[in-house]
Amino acid sequence: MLNKKISTWTKEYPLLKEMIDLQEVLWINPKYSSFKEAVDKISISQEDIIDAERRLERFAPYIAKVFPETKAENGIIESPIVEINNMKKELENMYACKIYGKVLLKCDSHLKVSGSIKARGGIYEVLKHAEDLALEHNILHLDDNYEKLDSDTARKFFGEYSVVVGSTGNLGLSIGIMSAKLGFKVTVHMSADARQWKKDLLRSKGVEVIEYESDYSKAVEEGRKQSEADPNSYFVDDENSKNLFLGYSVAAKRLDKQLSSMGIKVDSKNLLFVYLPCGVGGGPGGVAFGLKMLYRDNVHFFFAEPTHSPCMTLGCMTQQHDKVSVQDFGIDNLTDADGLAVGRASGFVGKTLEKLLSGCYTVTDENMYRLLSKMGDSENIFLEPSALAGLPGIVNLLTSEEGKKYLEDQGLEDKLNNITHIAWATGGSMVPKDIMKEYYNKGIALL
Ligand SMILES: *Cc1c(COP(=O)(O)O)cnc(C)c1O
């Protein structure tokens, strides 16, 4: 709860007034620092990321076996990246501006198995837990072929344990699908935002789905309570999990390979700007952290949120992190961008990225829908509303006063043509056709 009146807060942070009025804003982080200065007090290291990469490699033969759609990539779940020149032109028209540099789309929307960015962190955390248990009980050894986990013995073993998570939908999908495949009992606590088709899909895989009338924070709280009551239960703590964060961070080196193969350099003359839709913060935070470890001062990242759920912007700007929620300021946390419908951000992520985050901005639901339809028409790529929030960041940076000032402060005014912009498309390929059609039509009606 707030220890000061709202009017006192808005006096201190004038941008907050605009956020309360549900306007689109761009917040530049005044604490943004050089990598060297920022990284000192961070407890996660490059070794932790490498450990996560190795773990995913150990599991790859198992993943390829139980999810045949991943066979072509030998059980490594990774998404394509594409240059979107048609959409770049659409953006220029929509916002009447000139976009300098390359515009790429990282299609986590098309990650196999669970169709969203959660296929990184969520699946990783379940695998980590499964490995810990199996090693401890001699079901598995580090040098085994992990395909052996696709057996009745292993499933019977995991069946003695349960996995619990609270979610607005996509995390539930990835944790649910992966846990059920291994044989765990799994319960997903779904917030009111969660789409019916996600609940139906999970139930069809034997996952227990518990529904709430309230938002994400409540679903997490109830999940945590249930899990704590059972010693054989493991709670995936989206608000605080280092393992989720590490699963996401593995994206960085893989992206580096993809950029190299496209002939795109990242160095002090060729900068990378990345725009990531943000809910509680673990997904975008983990990916961004991995990229910072790799590219240091040559990468800048921004988080995108709905105007109705700007929890990370709020937490970082006021430096109150998870001590404040958007509801404390009368913001309702009601948005069609269900993956981003979070009222209180992760304190762990906000604090870890305190000096590494370049800034945050907000996007209206209407603009996400408009961009959704334009993306479909111009590139034939269909995304869920949340996943479109990355794109307007490019426009914000290049055209707003605050954005231009940031570029100037970083000495980049004359390097604009050398910037590669990546909008992180965080979900969408599993959305049923008829629902995608509804999304698309909504966008068309708004254009
Ligand atoms: C979960 C999600 C995000 C954001 O990830 P967080 O870890 O919640 O910040 C963005 N887009 C989509 C589609 C998501 O499902």
Side-chain angles (χ1 to χ4, degrees), residues 5-17:
K5 279 196 296 199
I6 290 182
S7 58
T8 312
W9 286 102
T10 51
K11 210 172 280 165
E12 198 170 342
Y13 303 102
L15 201 66
L16 191 50
K17 175 76 176 64

Side-chain angles (χ1 to χ4, degrees), residues 264-281:
I264 295 173
K265 276 192 291 207
V266 183
D267 55 32
S268 60
K269 294 199 180 69
N270 300 280
L271 295 161
L272 192 62
F273 275 71
V274 187
Y275 309 85
L276 302 123
C278 178
V280 71

Side-chain angles (χ1 to χ4, degrees), residues 157-413:
F157 168 72
F158 290 126
E160 301 294 316
Y161 297 89
S162 60
V163 175
V164 179
V165 69
S167 171
T168 64
N170 285 338
L171 185 64
L173 275 188
S174 91
I175 300 286
I177 292 170
M178 191 65 248
S179 302
K181 187 61 90 179
L182 280 157
F184 284 113
K185 281 184 287 206
V186 48
T187 309
V188 176
H189 295 256
M190 287 285 205
S191 67
D193 323 276
R195 302 291 159 130
Q196 190 60 43
W197 66 266
K198 293 181 183 172
K199 301 176 203 169
D200 296 343
L201 180 73
L202 282 174
R203 287 186 174 125
S204 78
K205 298 191 185 287
V207 174
E208 185 186 6
V209 177
I210 301 179
E211 302 177 53
Y212 295 89
E213 306 256 329
S214 33
D215 79 353
Y216 165 85
S217 299
K218 174 79 178 168
V220 171
E221 186 190 321
E222 289 299 318
R224 184 179 280 127
K225 243 190 254 166
Q226 183 209 331
S227 190
E228 274 168 1
D230 174 1
N232 277 353
S233 175
Y234 180 80
F235 180 63
V236 177
D237 188 351
D238 196 16
E239 292 171 327
N240 298 293
S241 169
K242 185 173 158 184
N243 286 327
L244 275 175
F245 193 81
L246 286 170
Y248 291 117
S249 72
V250 169
K253 266 199 220 154
R254 298 181 183 174
L255 176 72
D256 183 56
K257 268 199 202 136
Q258 290 179 320
L259 292 177
S260 295
S261 73
M262 295 169 91
I264 295 173
K265 276 192 291 207
V266 183
D267 55 32
S268 60
K269 294 199 180 69
N270 300 280
L271 295 161
L272 192 62
F273 275 71
V274 187
Y275 309 85
L276 302 123
C278 178
V280 71
V287 169
F289 182 73
L291 289 170
K292 269 287 172 189
M293 293 300 268
L294 197 61
Y295 295 133
R296 308 199 160 194
D297 297 328
N298 301 328
V299 64
H300 298 253
F301 63 86
F302 291 85
F303 286 171
E305 298 185 294
T307 48
H308 285 255
S309 309
C311 64
M312 188 60 82
T313 314
L314 179 70
C316 290
M317 182 170 75
T318 60
Q319 297 167 53
Q320 300 295 305
H321 299 292
D322 53 352
K323 291 200 200 72
V324 289
S325 72
V326 301
Q327 288 94 338
D328 290 341
F329 290 88
I331 304 172
D332 61 13
N333 190 29
L334 294 176
T335 168
D336 281 2
D338 47 313
L340 312 180
V342 177
R344 188 186 300 275
S346 160
F348 156 65
V349 172
K351 286 171 206 163
T352 301
L353 302 180
E354 194 160 34
K355 294 180 171 181
L356 293 172
L357 171 70
S358 294
C360 297
Y361 60 92
T362 59
V363 186
T364 63
D365 283 14
E366 289 78 11
N367 278 338
M368 289 186 230
Y369 278 122
R370 288 186 184 103
L371 292 163
L372 187 154
S373 308
K374 285 285 183 195
M375 182 68 82
D377 285 342
S378 65
E379 301 284 350
N380 199 29
I381 298 174
F382 289 87
L383 305 172
E384 61 184 279
S386 301
L388 278 304
L391 284 166
I394 305 171
V395 177
N396 286 343
L397 180 76
L398 293 172
T399 65
S400 72
E401 287 311 312
E402 303 89 325
K404 286 190 218 164
K405 178 156 187 312
Y406 180 81
L407 290 167
E408 205 182 292
D409 289 348
Q410 300 297 318
L412 300 176
E413 320 95 291

